[in-house]
Amino acid sequence: MFTRKCLGIGLVMSASVAYAADSPNLGTPVTPADIAAWDISILPDGRGLPAGSGTAAQGAPIYAQKCAACHGENGKGGTASALLPRGPVTSINGAERTIGNFWPVSTTLFDYIRRAMPWQQPKTLTNDEVYALTAYLLVLNKVIGESDVMNAETLPKVRMPNRDGFIVRFPGKM
Amino acid sequence: MTKGLEPIAIAANGLLDRRTFIKGGAAFAATLSGYTETQGATAQPLTDDSWSLIPGATTPPYEQRSRFEAKVTRTLTNPKGEARVQNARTPLHLSQGTVTPNGLHFVVAQSGAPDIDPAKHRLVIHGMVKRPLMFTLDALERYPKVSRMAFIECGGNSAPMFSPQPIQANLQTLHGMVSCSEWTGVLLSTLLAEAGVDPEAKWLIAEGADAPTLTRSVPLKKGLDDAMIALYQNGERLMPANGYPMRLFLPGWEGNMSIKWLRRIQVTDTPGMTFPESKTYTQLLPNGKAYQFYFVEEVKSFITQPSPGLTMNGPGTYEISGIAYSGEGCIKRVMVSADGGKTWAQAALQAPVQDKAFTRFRLPWRWDGSPAILQSRAYDDAGNVQPTRAEFVTERGELKAPLPPAAFPNQHFNGITSWAIDAKGEVKHVYA
């Protein structure tokens, strides 16, 4: 039902619900190839991850060139959101929520860096660069080993430290 | 008011029966005095002013408000558009009724408003559907439309209320990231039906066409219920910063989920765990855990007049006025207190009271010039009651130190707000 009745006021939208079901069918069929450039969401199990790979060593110079201006050298300081934890999140005070102490899922890094970063030139990084930056940040956050290679196979298997730190607020609405 | 013109006091500190204004008529209304931002004028002999002696301005194609209203504006956290989020807050204390003018609607924009050519904009629905489809704006214009009044509130609205001491700021700063409009568009369920949703699907990932291509995961259940592809806001096309030319609109839910500049909906069997739902729009709890998928903007109210910055103009009769809303349904009742919550009087609700929309409440008040603490408390028809601030922070925590009012590390505050009136008539934010 679209709108509910309040305090005895008439349910005036009910007619439009039946009306709305009568679609003019004006959607144009599209193929995966048509929408490939937009089809960039990565799911937590790794679906959507592209070919390519990267390591922290490869990510460091990319970070220095494209990220450090806002996020600080080696992820420290900077004017943009913190990338490194200053300790565990133990209450609503104190530690800022960052990758290593908060984010529940590893694939979020690839998804977000690729779509939204660098801030001034989003969607300009190659997939290899995104994997490399993902590896670099996961190493800085002490989540993976220094030489670990991030790719479509390995990234979804990375277990984030705070993966069990969440309570779904409204499970009945999912 | 059945006993002549004497209003009936129904709670302590001068709260009057909500029917006083209606039944009292002009004689009673004439004793009303307004709240002031400056001192009132004294009576002088009337003359014809200049505007009564010459023809007026030519009517423009798109009219702007009076130049004397120029101070009624949004407040901005990032007026230069630096590389960080931009927030614009609605001046609720200088507004009346239930509709937010489009130019004053609150905005949270992660990376500014894109300059979208509507002729080139496309909406794609794909993923777990039988027929992946693309829609132009022109095509959507031919679909059956629905209109509804609905509020939209940032999950981070009212974050200053987590401060350990009451932040001395006006209503705009404390609660200005909520607005209410008439939204018109196409029900998402219509488009999902055309695409043919896989029975195994459970989620939608909605994506904007802005620079960060912001994404949020939305339960399919909501998408098939009252979710709308909104094209119009108060009768005109969406404002650029509110998603022009189309946005997802999820009535009653956290504003960030109603993806602006909507370009893509991917039907999936799992949430994407996108950046905003993994970090920004989670709610930390005192035990170090965090709520995720908070979705609902819960029942809430606050008094808009008087409020900080609007000074009482001497003892006399005033109208206490405010806004109530609930993401779970209709406002059923609003109670008002003038003694910090000891006694309560029921406010009048302005009809029509609408589902998940601003409801304006009003109550006459005879202020005798002594200190008072005003509060409002809303009840919705789903049985939810607005908590006191003390009840709220017991469950959700309180910060050890105040933060800048623009920061919102904690979210979804819906507790009671208290305004203290001192003997001079000045209004301050207090915890009571």
Side-chain angles (χ1 to χ4, degrees):
Chain A
M1 180 149 65
F2 182 59
T3 53
R4 296 195 294 117
K5 185 175 175 179
C6 298
L7 301 178
I9 295 159
L11 181 61
V12 292
M13 289 303 302
S14 59
S16 73
V17 175
Y19 174 57
D22 191 12
S23 167
N25 293 311
L26 296 173
T28 307
V30 286
T31 66
D34 293 333
I35 60 169
W38 287 11
D39 188 9
I40 58 171
S41 284
I42 311 301
L43 301 182
D45 60 7
R47 277 178 286 168
L49 280 170
S53 69
T55 63
Q58 292 163 333
I62 302 166
Y63 180 90
Q65 187 194 346
K66 299 187 174 180
C67 315
C70 297
H71 287 287
E73 207 173 319
N74 302 318
K76 289 173 186 158
T79 54
S81 295
L83 298 176
L84 302 181
R86 279 178 231 149
V89 175
T90 55
S91 74
I92 78 165
N93 289 282
E96 191 168 351
R97 294 164 289 173
T98 63
I99 297 164
N101 70 356
F102 198 75
W103 294 25
V105 170
S106 61
T107 49
T108 307
L109 277 105
F110 190 99
D111 179 273
Y112 189 63
I113 294 168
R114 183 165 69 163
R115 71 173 56 253
M117 293 293 146
W119 189 276
Q120 305 294 1
Q121 294 94 28
K123 295 177 277 287
T124 56
L125 298 167
T126 67
N127 290 333
D128 284 341
E129 287 177 317
V130 178
Y131 277 120
L133 286 168
T134 300
Y136 177 73
L137 292 175
L138 287 171
V139 168
L140 282 187
N141 277 273
K142 299 183 170 54
V143 178
I144 63 171
E146 292 215 2
S147 57
D148 287 356
V149 178
M150 288 295 105
N151 58 35
E153 294 296 316
T154 57
L155 177 59
K157 291 177 185 152
V158 173
R159 289 166 67 78
M160 300 299 280
N162 193 47
R163 62 189 174 275
D164 298 323
F166 295 88
I167 301 162
V168 172
R169 178 66 180 88
F170 284 107
K173 295 183 185 296
M174 289 169 36
Chain B
M1 295 310 297
T2 50
K3 300 173 189 168
L5 286 176
E6 185 55 30
I8 303 160
I10 53 168
N13 248 1
L15 293 178
L16 304 177
D17 186 276
R18 65 187 183 279
R19 291 172 290 263
T20 296
F21 289 157
I22 301 162
K23 292 185 179 174
F28 183 79
T31 66
L32 275 172
S33 47
Y35 306 104
T36 56
E37 290 187 285
T38 54
Q39 288 301 310
T42 52
Q44 288 179 358
L46 297 172
T47 58
D48 283 319
D49 277 300
S50 58
W51 52 80
S52 302
L53 301 171
I54 55 169
T58 306
T59 304
Y62 192 97
E63 190 164 355
Q64 306 297 324
R65 64 199 174 160
S66 163
R67 63 194 170 94
F68 296 102
E69 296 302 309
K71 68 180 179 358
V72 182
T73 57
R74 299 183 294 206
T75 47
L76 310 178
T77 57
N78 184 2
K80 293 178 185 169
E82 290 161 353
R84 57 190 165 85
V85 67
Q86 301 178 30
N87 296 342
R89 288 171 159 84
T90 297
L92 296 163
H93 61 305
L94 302 177
S95 306
Q96 261 295 346
T98 55
V99 177
T100 307
N102 288 344
L104 297 177
H105 198 286
F106 91 90
V107 171
V108 178
Q110 303 301 318
S111 182
D115 183 26
I116 296 176
D117 178 350
K120 292 183 179 169
H121 185 79
R122 298 289 182 271
L123 172 63
V124 168
I125 297 179
H126 73 119
M128 296 175 68
V129 295
K130 286 199 191 95
R131 294 170 291 278
L133 296 172
M134 182 174 72
F135 299 89
T136 64
L137 184 62
D138 281 350
L140 290 182
E141 275 293 351
R142 279 184 50 193
Y143 277 69
K145 287 181 199 64
V146 291
S147 296
R148 70 171 297 160
M149 286 291 294
F151 77 87
I152 183 165
E153 180 174 39
C154 176
N157 193 30
S158 314
M161 303 299 288
F162 283 94
S163 170
Q165 295 93 35
I167 288 179
Q168 290 311 317
N170 67 9
L171 180 65
Q172 184 168 19
T173 299
L174 297 176
H175 297 309
M177 293 209 288
V178 62
S179 300
C180 185
S181 299
E182 186 204 65
W183 301 92
T184 298
V186 180
L187 283 179
L188 178 55
S189 58
T190 307
L191 305 185
L192 290 173
E194 186 174 330
V197 174
D198 185 320
E200 299 295 312
K202 290 190 172 60
W203 288 84
L204 310 169
I205 300 175
E207 178 181 275
D210 52 338
T213 39
L214 192 84
T215 45
R216 285 298 301 263
S217 305
V218 179
L220 177 62
K221 201 188 283 188
K222 182 72 169 175
L224 294 173
D225 181 22
D226 57 1
M228 179 197 290
I229 309 297
L231 308 176
Y232 293 84
Q233 172 182 2
N234 295 328
E236 63 181 358
R237 292 282 196 180
L238 303 182
M239 295 299 270
N242 263 289
Y244 181 88
M246 62 181 72
R247 75 178 301 170
L248 185 61
F249 191 83
L250 305 175
W253 283 23
E254 180 177 271
N256 181 260
M257 299 181 71
S258 285
I259 292 287
K260 297 185 283 191
W261 315 293
L262 183 70
R263 77 171 193 184
R264 187 170 70 92
I265 292 173
Q266 180 178 357
V267 182
T268 68
D269 53 4
T270 172
M273 300 313 298
T274 69
F275 171 75
E277 65 212 22
S278 295
K279 185 207 163 187
T280 317
Y281 292 93
T282 57
Q283 283 73 49
L284 290 173
L285 297 168
N287 64 4
K289 300 267 183 181
Y291 279 136
Q292 63 180 184
F293 299 124
Y294 205 109
F295 302 146
V296 176
E297 297 294 316
E298 294 162 292
V299 63
K300 185 165 171 178
S301 70
F302 39 77
I303 293 169
T304 57
Q305 290 98 6
S307 63
L310 301 180
T311 301
M312 309 291 288
N313 193 18
T317 305
Y318 290 81
E319 182 178 80
I320 295 171
S321 180
I323 292 166
Y325 51 95
S326 170
E328 296 269 49
C330 310
I331 292 299
K332 187 177 174 190
R333 184 165 74 247
V334 177
M335 303 299 285
V336 171
S337 174
D339 57 6
K342 293 188 194 76
T343 61
W344 296 86
Q346 188 169 351
L349 303 185
Q350 174 67 59
V353 174
Q354 296 180 85
D355 181 28
K356 303 181 182 69
F358 276 4
T359 296
R360 175 64 63 175
F361 63 88
R362 300 187 173 97
L363 190 69
W365 180 38
R366 179 171 288 169
W367 183 52
D368 63 6
S370 60
I373 294 176
L374 300 183
Q375 298 180 330
S376 67
R377 181 172 217 175
Y379 300 70
D380 71 20
D381 67 353
N384 300 297
V385 182
Q386 184 179 10
T388 67
R389 184 181 174 281
E391 288 167 349
F392 182 90
V393 298
T394 297
E395 187 186 327
R396 293 283 309 280
E398 182 178 67
L399 294 171
K400 287 178 186 154
L403 285 165
F408 52 97
N410 303 85
Q411 304 176 344
H412 283 269
F413 177 91
N414 73 321
I416 287 173
T417 299
S418 304
W419 305 137
I421 320 286
D422 68 15
K424 292 178 189 164
E426 287 182 5
V427 185
K428 285 210 162 84
H429 177 213
V430 295
Y431 291 158

